[in-house]
């Protein structure tokens, strides 16, 4: 929701409400486009956050949504077997991000300020998509009226689905959508923004994002056959 009134509590409450009704065979997708920030404690890994209307840059742990928290919710509280997390935000203090002067000072004293371990927290039949590497900006383009990555991700599931459907089965999977958006984001930003993703699939447990009803049904039958 793009309303300026959306707060941290409201987002987490909405996740609770939705996940309470999910069944095993459902697909759950969480998408966020907005500002991000990070905290760099004196010891321990850097923490990444999504910023809401009421986020205080000096108190992200209690006023923002930790990316780690979202990933743990996906792992422990979402019962369906297919899950997608899409974050069009950055955490480096540029573009769709802000970082306090104190955090910048702490980061300047580190050789490796960002925590790569966050990319390993992916469950089975799950995809976590990030609009940019954590040290890069997530850019917006007024001509596109979207964040660059979001624009091409939407294109992959609509007007450009023929191009993104790499195997020609009439269905765009989350892997195909990301690959399409990634390549075009890199080209659009001349390499300033490189999207990244982590996937974990079991057997042929594809996560399909778009396609005609018949094509989606055929893909589901193919999954059952593989089992």
């Amino acid at each position: 929701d793009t309303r300026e009134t959306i707060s941290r509590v409201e987002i987490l409450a909405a996740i609770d409400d939705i996940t309470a009704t999910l069944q095993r065979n459902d697909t759950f997708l969480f998408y966020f486009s907005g500002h991000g920030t990070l905290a760099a404690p004196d010891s321990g890994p850097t923490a990444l956050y999504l910023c809401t209307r009421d986020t205080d840059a000096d108190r992200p742990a209690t006023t923002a949504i930790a990316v780690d928290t979202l990933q743990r919710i996906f792992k422990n509280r979402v019962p369906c077997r297919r899950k997608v997390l899409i974050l069009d935000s950055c955490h480096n203090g540029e573009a769709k991000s802000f970082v306090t002067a104190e955090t910048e000072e702490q980061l300047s004293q580190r050789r490796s300020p960002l925590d790569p371990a966050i990319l390993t927290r992916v469950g089975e039949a799950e995809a976590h998509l990030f609009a940019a590497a954590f040290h890069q900006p997530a850019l917006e383009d007024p001509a596109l009226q979207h964040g660059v990555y979001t624009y091409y991700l939407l294109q992959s599931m609509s007007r450009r689905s023929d191009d993104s459907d790499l195997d020609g089965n009439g269905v765009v999977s989350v892997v195909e959508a990301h690959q399409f958006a990634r390549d075009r984001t890199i080209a659009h930003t001349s390499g300033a923004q490189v999207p990244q993703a982590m996937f974990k699939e079991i057997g042929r447990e594809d996560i399909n994002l778009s396609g005609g009803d018949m094509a989606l049904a055929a893909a589901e039958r193919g999954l059952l056959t593989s089992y």
Side-chain angles (χ1 to χ4, degrees):
D1 196 319
T2 57
R3 292 179 300 158
E4 293 182 358
T5 57
I6 294 300
S7 67
R8 174 182 183 273
V9 171
E10 288 174 301
I11 291 176
L12 294 176
I15 294 174
D16 284 341
D17 290 343
I18 294 171
T19 55
T21 65
L22 292 174
Q23 303 297 316
R24 174 66 176 167
N25 290 330
D26 290 332
T27 298
F28 176 66
L29 185 150
F30 178 91
Y31 166 84
F32 178 91
S33 178
H35 293 284
T37 188
L38 54 82
D42 294 333
S43 60
T46 302
L48 308 177
Y49 296 92
L50 305 179
C51 300
T52 58
R53 172 186 56 80
D54 52 345
T55 294
D56 182 340
D58 294 319
R59 297 185 296 116
T62 56
T63 64
I65 300 175
V67 173
D68 180 72
T69 295
L70 281 178
Q71 292 185 309
R72 294 184 189 281
I73 288 173
F74 264 58
K75 178 180 179 181
N76 300 319
R77 289 166 43 195
V78 179
C80 54
R81 72 173 191 250
R82 290 170 291 206
K83 314 168 193 179
V84 185
L85 174 67
I86 305 174
L87 303 181
D88 190 350
S89 58
C90 56
H91 308 84
N92 67 341
E94 301 178 32
K96 299 170 71 172
S97 173
F98 63 84
V99 175
T100 65
E102 181 182 0
T103 297
E104 288 183 343
E105 174 64 23
Q106 291 172 324
L107 291 175
S108 68
Q109 300 174 16
R110 297 189 178 193
R111 291 185 177 180
S112 179
L114 297 177
D115 175 20
I118 199 168
L119 289 176
T120 67
R121 299 174 188 141
V122 182
E124 297 178 0
E126 196 167 316
H128 293 190
L129 312 182
F130 302 90
F134 296 134
H135 62 281
Q136 297 175 332
L139 300 172
E140 294 180 296
D141 187 332
L144 302 180
Q145 298 183 336
H146 279 294
V148 176
Y149 178 74
T150 289
Y151 175 81
Y152 288 111
L153 195 67
L154 292 173
Q155 289 283 303
S156 76
M157 296 182 285
S158 54
R159 297 179 180 178
R160 302 288 298 278
S161 59
D162 287 345
D163 296 328
S164 59
D165 179 15
L166 298 179
D167 59 9
N169 67 346
V171 173
V172 178
S173 71
V174 67
V175 175
E176 291 173 326
H178 173 74
Q179 290 177 342
F180 177 92
R182 176 200 62 200
D183 293 348
R184 281 149 186 81
T185 297
I186 293 171
H188 191 100
T189 64
S190 299
Q193 178 178 338
V194 180
Q196 56 184 337
M198 288 293 294
F199 307 100
K200 185 177 290 184
E201 298 177 340
I202 302 300
R204 292 184 56 204
E205 181 70 284
D206 291 335
I207 304 173
N208 298 316
L209 297 182
S210 71
D213 291 341
M214 293 182 63
L216 288 168
E220 191 70 16
R221 286 196 299 273
L223 171 63
L224 294 174
T225 301
S226 76
Y227 279 128

